[in-house]
Amino acid sequence: MQKVELLAPAGNYEALAGALNAGADAVYLGGAKFGARAYADNFSEEEICRAVRYAHILGKKVYLTVNTLVKEREFSTLYDYISPLYEAGLDGVIIQDLGVWQYIRETFPGMALHASTQMTVTGSQGALLLKEIGAARIVPARELSLSEIRSMKENTGLELECFIHGAMCYSYSGQCLFSSILGGRSGNRGRCAQPCRLPYQILDQAGGPKGDAGYVLSLKDMCTLSFLPRLIEAGIDSFKIEGRMKRPEYAAGVTAVYRKYIDLYYENGSRNYRVEQADMDRLRKLYIRDEVQTGYYERHNGREMITVKKPGYLGQDDKLLSEIAGAYLNGERKARASVTGFFHAGEAARIRMDGEGVSLTIEGQTVEQAKNRPMSREDFLKHLRKTGNSFVEITEEQADTGDGAFMPVGRLNELRRNAVEAFENRLIEKNGLLPYRKRVKDTLQNGPQNRILPLKRPQLHVAVQNIAQLQTALKYPCERIYLDSDWYLEESDQIGQCLEGRSVPAIFLALPYIVREKDGSYFRELFSRTEETFPVEGFLVRNLESLSAIRTFAAPYEIVTDTGIYCFNRESARLLGKYCKESYLPWELNGKEGGALTKEIAACAGREETVDNGPLRMSMVVYGTIPMMLSANCVRKTAGVCRGQESPCSRQEKYELSDRYHVRFPVQCRCRHCYNIIYNSVPCSLHQKRKELAGMQLFAWRLDFVWETGSQTDKILDCFFHKKQEFPAAEYTAGHYARGVE
């Protein structure tokens, strides 16, 4: 039986060595760039290369986090960053950005690609799409249940890496813009300021408080020690411990406890599996919040998962930290070997090394006959016992020398270094791992420069969620209307009556932000309904699961990917262009970055890398309230007022979160799929940027409406279409158009 991998975090080299000493099978770490923990110590290039070699000598693996979104101007540094680590034998790369994925797959053959939890993979369809483009492993969304994990494993055959311990985000990872919108520190760029750990009051539609004020977005830390057997039997391949921002004692201490119980399971089975209270207490003393919970494996959401009163960490136990440091934080372990040198004048010098199940002999240059003073046996031994900064410890040294033998010290040291390196390489190969790879060439092509492109008027598209908004939108000359797909299923007859007899624009359906394994029936119902009602020409897709499902169920339809399937660079546009004809600029690119990217993509028309569908058309949301967080948890459930699936709330009901400054963030409960959308407090509008937007080579401008009344919708559309009306909202933001994110 293949044992589950225990994967530990390493914020620095001391943590890496400690975690390996404590029993980790692999570690994940970040380098100087592109990592989702920008404020961790992180590793230099030299440290990563050394870490990989050290781990391989122990038979362990190292994975690099390249799990942030990468801007076009940063992309040129990716080759120089990854190349030396690839050559050092790096085992895998954990990736969020689709462009980074495309580039590493094409440039670094044999590198294992792991889909980060930041990719928000919520089901088998999304995992299969990633498998199609080279995924070796998926780190699914942390919100999945054990049955969903089991189903994904059975349906895809991919390796699955799941979190078993540590801090948890309230939002689906990769779908949170809270920190980004409020303060410019993007979680997608490794700089989250954690506004979810601040206090909020839940308010109902009338503005009345519901439940206790407190840390209602702060999840308790995860601890799954009590039901590890069920996780193993679900088919999970790698157990991941969260914590690259935490101290080396945490990485080593938590690893040691989970190592103990994983081994106990394989020795005794699940029937005799018991967790000692002393070990639970030990974990609680290692940087755990006031209470722990088992994550989403056994529940979909609930107030019991929230640390409403005490979001901070408990005080550390210095005695325990000292004990862990003494046991595990004692540096690298050395491979032990004996060495024998053969030095006879007129013969090739030889060094034999034996140890750790490896035996090898390395030949050097011919030993000389001494002209003056020959070298003594002790002279040779003195140089043989040195191992420098290697991972080898010499336990015994011998020298077989002839009369008058002499060898220049430089040549002797070079031979010894070659022997030690060869011994390390043989150990690594014995462990089934790579000692190194050959250098490869950069595949990144520069796009056309200074090419003058014809400007076209962008189309105007409108997204609506109720009849009043739809009726208003139909009065304007928009080329496309997006209907919320849940609303479409609920009221398709009423929508059809509204459209009947009119000259209507193209109708697309805007799919849910989150879909799960169970939503296969949702898609079947959706496509069945489109065959019975008015013509639907395409879909706005907001996650990888839907992107894959649409291809399965509805090949003839046009696909547009929304802002949350991040097209941050030209390489991601190349990849997305294989699956759709149009994509939306992400919220986190500023106007200058978005314009440069859009022009670059448009200028690729006719080039070799242009996709089958032609160059990807890029569009932009120019009005709408930004969805800042998507959560499997529910503020109504936390407040104790959830009515459940038997009596779901309307999409038009608006709960709110009020912060310390009484700023209110609207919350939409999507009960059919059981997730919340937490929106920004004010809408984003670029009505003052129309002239700049006109020069950005955009295919379409989209206006998104959620709770706006028919009158409000009319005024906003009039402002954009006819430019006669002053913008009706007293407060609004331009989002990241001017500032962008770090």
Side-chain angles (χ1 to χ4, degrees):
M1 175 187 287
Q2 179 70 37
K3 284 187 175 183
V4 67
E5 174 186 85
L6 180 57
L7 177 58
N12 56 33
Y13 201 92
E14 184 184 19
L16 175 136
L20 293 177
N21 290 340
D25 298 305
V27 292
Y28 64 103
L29 53 83
K33 300 177 181 179
F34 311 125
R37 292 293 182 268
Y39 302 120
D41 288 348
N42 291 320
F43 287 67
S44 67
E45 176 188 308
E46 181 181 357
E47 286 177 320
I48 297 174
C49 292
R50 182 170 182 83
V52 171
R53 189 164 184 83
Y54 175 54
H56 285 184
I57 285 173
L58 299 180
K60 312 298 179 71
K61 294 184 178 181
V62 174
Y63 308 127
L64 178 71
T65 59
V66 188
N67 55 343
T68 61
L69 301 177
V70 179
K71 298 181 181 181
E72 180 68 22
R73 69 171 182 267
E74 301 166 334
F75 224 89
S76 60
T77 66
L78 192 58
Y79 174 80
D80 288 339
Y81 178 62
I82 298 292
S83 184
L85 313 181
Y86 174 81
E87 293 169 33
L90 181 68
D91 296 287
V93 182
I94 305 169
I95 302 172
Q96 176 187 13
D97 189 301
L98 289 170
V100 173
W101 185 286
Q102 167 99 342
Y103 178 72
I104 292 180
R105 182 191 183 193
E106 292 181 345
T107 306
F108 300 104
M111 179 74 83
L113 304 181
H114 297 184
S116 169
T117 191
Q118 293 281 121
M119 276 196 174
T120 327
V121 180
T122 55
S124 300
Q125 289 282 357
L128 285 170
L129 185 148
L130 290 169
K131 184 177 182 178
E132 182 181 301
I133 59 174
R137 176 180 290 189
I138 302 292
V139 188
R142 281 179 255 204
E143 289 75 7
L144 300 194
S145 67
L146 267 182
S147 62
E148 289 175 302
I149 295 291
R150 189 178 295 109
S151 178
M152 187 182 294
K153 181 66 180 179
E154 292 171 354
N155 292 335
T156 69
L158 286 166
E159 290 183 7
L160 299 183
E161 173 184 307
C162 298
F163 286 90
I164 58 165
H165 192 91
M168 296 190 70
C169 295
Y170 190 81
S171 175
Y172 280 93
S173 294
Q175 299 301 317
C176 182
L177 303 178
F178 212 153
S179 173
S180 171
I181 297 300
L182 295 188
R185 287 176 54 178
S186 170
N188 285 318
R189 301 270 293 167
R191 294 170 171 84
C192 180
Q194 297 192 315
C196 53
R197 301 295 183 187
L198 297 173
Y200 299 89
Q201 172 68 63
I202 300 171
L203 306 175
D204 64 15
Q205 289 234 90
K210 289 295 180 182
D212 299 327
Y215 301 92
V216 297
L217 304 183
S218 180
L219 285 177
K220 298 174 184 176
D221 281 8
M222 177 196 288
C223 178
T224 63
L225 197 63
S226 62
F227 69 106
L228 277 186
R230 291 181 58 200
L231 296 176
I232 294 172
E233 290 160 9
I236 297 171
D237 299 277
S238 180
F239 284 170
K240 187 171 193 173
I241 299 167
E242 181 276 337
R244 282 197 293 124
M245 292 287 285
K246 295 172 183 170
R247 291 175 55 161
E249 291 89 343
Y250 168 88
V254 174
T255 297
V257 173
Y258 277 92
R259 176 79 277 156
K260 172 183 174 180
Y261 284 94
I262 290 170
D263 292 345
L264 281 174
Y265 167 80
Y266 285 108
E267 290 172 12
N268 303 322
S270 58
R271 182 172 298 180
N272 299 313
Y273 186 86
R274 301 287 185 277
V275 176
E276 297 175 19
Q277 186 59 46
D279 288 319
M280 284 299 299
D281 293 341
R282 190 178 182 88
L283 288 177
R284 287 178 183 275
K285 293 175 182 178
L286 284 169
Y287 308 100
I288 291 292
R289 288 184 168 83
D290 185 47
E291 298 176 273
V292 296
Q293 44 101 9
T294 55
Y296 289 94
Y297 293 119
E298 299 181 300
R299 61 179 62 81
H300 187 83
N301 53 30
R303 180 184 172 87
E304 67 276 12
M305 300 178 71
I306 310 296
T307 176
V308 177
K309 296 299 182 184
K310 298 179 181 179
Y313 284 105
L314 300 173
Q316 64 189 34
D317 186 317
D318 291 335
K319 182 179 178 181
L320 176 58
L321 297 184
S322 178
E323 176 190 327
I324 291 170
Y328 304 114
L329 303 184
N330 38 33
E332 299 165 335
R333 301 199 306 268
K334 302 287 187 177
R336 297 164 64 84
S338 63
V339 60
T340 303
F342 300 89
F343 305 102
H344 293 269
E347 299 179 11
R350 289 176 292 136
I351 292 179
R352 189 180 73 223
M353 296 188 70
D354 299 277
E356 308 285 353
V358 169
S359 179
L360 60 81
T361 300
I362 297 293
E363 284 193 358
Q365 297 187 35
T366 302
V367 179
E368 300 176 11
Q369 182 69 45
K371 296 180 179 178
N372 298 308
R373 187 182 74 83
M375 295 176 69
S376 67
R377 180 173 176 275
E378 184 55 39
D379 289 334
F380 284 108
L381 288 174
K382 179 176 67 174
H383 293 285
L384 287 178
R385 64 175 65 104
K386 295 178 181 178
T387 58
N389 199 31
S390 74
F391 299 108
V392 177
E393 176 187 355
I394 301 300
T395 57
E396 180 184 1
E397 62 275 358
Q398 299 179 42
D400 182 349
T401 62
D403 294 338
F406 175 81
M407 194 170 189
V409 170
R411 293 182 186 175
L412 177 55
N413 287 340
E414 181 183 13
L415 177 60
R416 185 204 65 241
R417 287 193 295 268
N418 290 343
V420 170
E421 181 181 2
F423 182 76
E424 289 180 345
N425 289 345
R426 191 70 61 82
L427 277 178
I428 292 170
E429 291 167 347
K430 175 174 171 280
N431 291 329
L433 299 168
L434 293 175
Y436 58 85
R437 292 190 184 94
K438 293 182 179 180
R439 179 179 290 272
V440 294
K441 293 182 178 180
D442 187 0
T443 62
L444 190 65
Q445 299 181 19
N446 292 322
Q449 302 295 318
N450 301 319
R451 180 175 173 182
I452 299 174
L453 299 168
L455 289 175
K456 296 181 180 179
R457 181 189 71 81
Q459 293 189 7
L460 288 164
H461 298 169
V462 179
V464 299
Q465 295 195 28
N466 61 47
I467 285 292
Q469 293 168 358
L470 175 59
Q471 290 173 332
T472 303
L474 289 171
K475 296 190 297 184
Y476 288 85
C478 53
E479 284 92 343
R480 184 183 299 171
I481 291 180
Y482 290 99
L483 308 177
D484 179 87
S485 62
D486 287 354
W487 173 50
Y488 166 78
L489 284 176
E490 294 163 9
E491 301 182 21
S492 57
D493 290 342
Q494 186 180 7
I495 295 170
Q497 291 171 11
C498 182
L499 297 176
E500 190 174 358
R502 294 174 179 264
S503 176
V504 298
I507 299 296
F508 280 53
L509 298 183
L511 296 174
Y513 285 98
I514 296 292
V515 294
R516 301 275 283 268
E517 199 80 27
K518 63 181 175 59
D519 286 305
S521 59
Y522 177 84
F523 287 114
R524 286 190 289 273
E525 180 184 359
L526 194 63
F527 298 131
S528 174
R529 187 71 59 87
T530 60
E531 295 175 0
E532 301 169 357
T533 62
F534 47 85
V536 171
E537 297 187 24
F539 295 90
L540 180 65
V541 171
R542 290 164 163 158
N543 48 69
L544 296 179
E545 190 74 2
S546 296
L547 181 59
S548 183
I550 289 292
R551 295 192 307 146
T552 301
F553 287 104
Y557 293 91
E558 186 171 338
I559 296 173
V560 180
T561 57
D562 206 0
T563 57
I565 299 183
Y566 299 108
C567 187
F568 239 66
N569 46 65
R570 179 162 46 103
E571 289 295 300
S572 55
R574 285 184 59 211
L575 181 55
L576 284 172
K578 298 174 183 177
Y579 300 98
C580 64
K581 293 183 178 180
E582 181 184 346
S583 187
Y584 270 81
L585 288 173
W587 287 108
E588 293 187 306
L589 289 180
N590 64 32
K592 184 177 180 181
E593 292 165 340
L597 175 60
T598 300
K599 292 176 182 178
E600 178 69 22
I601 293 169
C604 287
R607 286 175 56 86
E608 183 179 346
E609 72 266 26
T610 299
V611 297
D612 295 339
N613 292 330
L616 189 68
R617 302 188 302 242
M618 298 303 299
S619 298
M620 188 173 185
V621 181
V622 297
Y623 171 82
T625 306
I626 299 173
M628 296 197 306
M629 184 181 281
L630 308 177
S631 178
N633 246 287
C634 176
V635 297
R636 299 176 75 250
K637 199 164 187 177
T638 299
V641 294
C642 177
R643 297 191 294 266
Q645 290 292 344
E646 294 76 20
S647 180
C649 60
S650 164
R651 286 172 296 95
Q652 294 302 303
E653 289 184 55
K654 180 167 64 173
Y655 278 69
E656 292 179 310
L657 292 169
S658 178
D659 71 7
R660 299 167 296 166
Y661 308 107
H662 307 293
V663 176
R664 296 186 177 189
F665 301 94
V667 182
Q668 189 179 56
C669 301
R670 305 304 295 251
C671 291
R672 177 158 191 162
H673 310 280
C674 202
Y675 68 91
N676 280 186
I677 308 172
I678 300 174
Y679 286 91
N680 195 15
S681 58
V682 294
C684 173
S685 181
L686 301 180
H687 60 279
Q688 293 184 326
K689 309 293 183 182
R690 283 180 295 230
K691 186 174 181 180
E692 296 173 26
L693 294 171
M696 284 178 60
Q697 291 289 336
L698 291 164
F699 172 71
W701 299 354
R702 192 177 89 220
L703 292 86
D704 285 357
F705 298 97
V706 183
W707 290 287
E708 288 87 350
T709 65
S711 174
Q712 290 169 330
T713 302
D714 187 51
K715 291 176 181 177
I716 292 164
L717 289 173
D718 190 58
C719 177
F720 273 90
F721 277 82
H722 300 146
K723 307 176 188 177
K724 297 176 182 177
Q725 175 92 25
E726 287 295 319
F727 190 72
E731 292 185 86
Y732 62 90
T733 176
H736 281 304
Y737 186 86
R739 63 181 180 180
V741 293
E742 294 180 43

